[in-house]
C-alpha cells in the first residue's frame, strides 16, 4: 500500500515524505514539513519533484536543448505528432510523445515548477500547447520565432480568448539575446533564460516562505 501511495504521489508531482521509525522499523508517508514527535528515534526522507520542461517540436534545437535541460536538473518531455521526428533515436534517454500536445498535456500535471517551450513554427502544434500552458501556473512559457511571427501568434491567442495579461507571460522570441544563430547556440540561449526564470521562481517562493 505504501509503495502504491508513494508512486501515486510522485506521479502527481507531490512532495513526498517517508518517515522511518528506527525502533520499530515502521515506515509511513507524511506530508512535509510535518515533524515527528519521535525525532530522536526516527528520520524523514523527503522527495521533491524535479522541475519539468515540456518541449513541443522534435527539431534540431530540441536535440540540443533537451539534454542540456536534463543536465541542469529538469525532467524533460518532448512532444511532436510528426512521428518521423519524435523518435527515441533522436532523443536518447528523453521522454518523447508522438501525439498532439493537447492530448499529452491533458494527462500531465502542469504546476508552478513546469516550463513550456514551443519550437515547431507550426501554429497547429505550438498553439495547441500554448492553450494548455497559458491556462496553468507555469513559471516559464517561451516560443521560437521572429518578432513578426510572435505578433501573429499573439493575435491568434487573442482571437482564442486569451487577454493581454496572460499572453504577456510568453517569452517571445525564446531565449536570451546573445546573438545565437545555430541550433546549439539557440538552445544555449533558451536554457539560460530557463535557468533565470526558474531561479526567480525559487527566489519568490523562498521570499514568501
Amino acid at each position: 500500500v505504501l509503495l502504491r501511495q508513494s508512486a501515486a504521489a510522485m506521479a502527481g508531482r507531490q512532495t513526498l515524505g517517508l518517515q522511518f521509525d528506527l525502533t520499530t522499523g515502521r515506515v509511513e508517508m507524511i506530508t512535509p514539513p510535518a515533524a515527528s514527535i519521535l525525532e530522536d528515534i526516527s528520520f524523514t526522507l523527503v522527495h521533491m519533484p524535479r522541475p519539468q520542461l515540456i518541449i513541443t517540436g522534435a527539431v534540431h534545437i530540441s536535440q540540443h536543448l533537451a539534454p542540456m535541460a536534463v543536465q541542469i536538473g529538469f525532467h524533460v518531455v518532448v512532444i511532436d505528432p510528426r512521428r518521423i521526428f519524435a523518435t527515441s533515436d533522436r532523443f536518447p534517454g528523453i521522454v518523447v510523445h508522438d501525439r498532439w500536445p493537447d492530448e499529452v498535456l491533458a494527462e500531465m500535471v502542469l504546476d508552478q515548477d513546469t516550463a513550456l517551450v514551443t519550437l515547431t513554427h507550426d501554429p497547429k502544434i505550438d498553439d495547441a500547447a500554448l492553450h494548455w500552458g497559458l491556462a496553468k501556473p507555469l513559471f516559464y512559457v517561451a516560443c521560437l520565432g521572429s518578432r513578426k511571427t510572435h505578433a501573429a501568434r499573439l493575435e491568434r491567442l487573442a482571437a482564442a480568448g486569451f487577454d493581454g495579461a496572460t499572453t504577456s507571460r510568453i517569452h517571445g522570441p525564446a531565449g536570451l539575446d546573445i546573438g545565437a544563430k545555430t541550433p546549439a547556440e539557440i538552445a544555449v540561449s533558451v536554457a539560460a533564460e530557463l535557468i533565470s526564470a526558474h531561479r526567480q521562481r525559487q527566489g519568490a517562493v523562498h521570499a514568501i516562505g
Side-chain angles (χ1 to χ4, degrees), residues 68-92:
M68 282 184 198
V70 170
Q71 290 175 21
I72 59 179
F74 282 77
H75 171 67
V76 179
V77 176
V78 175
I79 306 171
D80 197 323
R82 302 171 298 182
R83 296 183 178 181
I84 191 173
F85 299 123
T87 67
S88 58
D89 289 341
R90 299 183 73 234
F91 294 90

Side-chain angles (χ1 to χ4, degrees), residues 109-134:
V109 177
L110 307 178
D111 56 20
Q112 294 178 335
D113 283 313
T114 299
L116 170 67
V117 178
T118 69
L119 299 175
T120 72
H121 282 299
D122 186 340
K124 295 191 300 296
I125 299 174
D126 288 348
D127 287 10
L130 287 172
H131 286 192
W132 275 91
L134 291 175

Side-chain angles (χ1 to χ4, degrees), residues 6-28:
S6 299
M10 293 172 67
R13 294 185 55 77
Q14 300 174 19
T15 299
L16 169 66
L18 294 177
Q19 182 171 275
F20 297 80
D21 188 311
L22 302 180
T23 301
T24 65
R26 180 182 178 183
V27 182
E28 63 178 327

Side-chain angles (χ1 to χ4, degrees), residues 45-66:
L45 175 66
V46 177
H47 172 81
M48 300 182 66
R50 286 188 294 165
Q52 66 178 349
L53 170 63
I54 301 166
I55 303 172
T56 61
V59 297
H60 292 312
I61 297 171
S62 306
Q63 288 182 283
H64 295 283
L65 178 60

